Amino acid sequence: MKSAPTCQLVISGVGGQGVLFITRLLAEAAISKDLPVHTSETHGMAQRGGTVVSHLKVGSFASPLITPGRADGLMALKAETFFQYSPYLLPSGWAAVNSPSPMEPFANAEAVVIDADRLATEAGQPKSVNLMVLGFFLAMAEKKQAASHFFCTEKNIRTILENRLQKKNPQLLESFLSALEIGVMAAG
């Protein structure tokens, strides 16, 4: 009998970047596969550009909070939050970071970089940085062969978005899917 995948992710950014939105998308992807999921979030001074962080656990866990040194992955929608939350990563963990330049390893955390701010501006979608980083993260997980341990794919997220927006707002759906694809393409 194959055991259900487990995954612990930290998603960080600042207020208004959509940290909670991508956390919900990932949680819905887990639920769609009948996997247990826990989420927790901290807003802080989010309305004033402060840090927002969410914890997402997929699998049989008793608590929604991730303890330092236990996260499989980190998505940092703002480079500064990588330094703040990289101590949560396992020694084998890695991060996808929105940054205009390469990141030096910090606390033994491997970081792969996407300049999502630039890509979003070039695409005329400045509010889609979150979906670009998500697409990049999912594509990198597949490249790193972490996908065999990861609970969802870019295709799963596409389906969630289509189910949410196909009838309600097809124009927004097109924009979201485009942003997700830009992130996937940035992973090479």
Side-chain angles (χ1 to χ4, degrees):
M1 176 182 221
K2 188 177 174 184
S3 63
T6 62
C7 183
Q8 297 186 71
L9 289 178
V10 175
I11 303 159
S12 64
V14 295
Q17 281 193 299
V19 168
L20 304 180
F21 178 66
I22 61 174
T23 301
R24 280 191 299 270
L25 290 176
L26 290 165
E28 284 183 39
I31 291 166
S32 74
K33 294 181 170 197
D34 293 324
L35 297 171
V37 63
H38 294 280
T39 64
S40 178
E41 58 210 36
T42 304
H43 302 262
M45 293 291 290
Q47 289 182 330
R48 298 189 183 265
T51 301
V52 176
V53 63
S54 68
H55 295 210
L56 180 121
K57 288 182 168 184
V58 176
S60 297
F61 293 100
S63 163
L65 295 177
I66 300 170
T67 56
R70 304 296 294 178
D72 300 295
L74 166 65
M75 275 185 261
L77 304 184
K78 193 125 181 111
E80 297 80 25
T81 65
F82 166 71
F83 298 107
Q84 208 172 352
Y85 295 102
S86 63
Y88 280 86
L89 287 168
L90 286 162
S92 61
W94 62 282
V97 182
N98 174 23
S99 175
S101 56
M103 305 291 294
E104 291 295 320
F106 182 76
N108 296 324
E110 177 191 356
V112 291
V113 173
I114 176 175
D115 189 352
D117 288 323
R118 179 184 56 78
L119 292 171
T121 299
E122 288 173 0
Q125 299 182 38
K127 293 186 177 192
S128 295
V129 166
N130 59 345
L131 289 165
M132 291 179 189
V133 174
L134 176 58
F136 181 75
F137 181 90
L138 294 170
M140 290 304 296
E142 191 169 323
K143 283 179 114 174
K144 292 175 167 295
Q145 298 180 334
S148 61
H149 304 292
F150 204 64
F151 64 94
C152 78
T153 65
E154 174 253 345
K155 184 178 178 186
N156 300 130
I157 299 300
R158 283 180 157 281
T159 300
I160 301 285
L161 288 169
E162 288 166 355
N163 290 342
R164 280 179 159 214
L165 297 170
Q166 189 75 51
K167 292 180 182 175
K168 292 179 190 173
N169 195 335
Q171 189 174 11
L172 185 60
L173 172 62
E174 184 179 321
S175 173
F176 282 5
L177 294 178
S178 169
L180 190 67
E181 183 63 24
I182 289 168
V184 170
M185 298 304 289

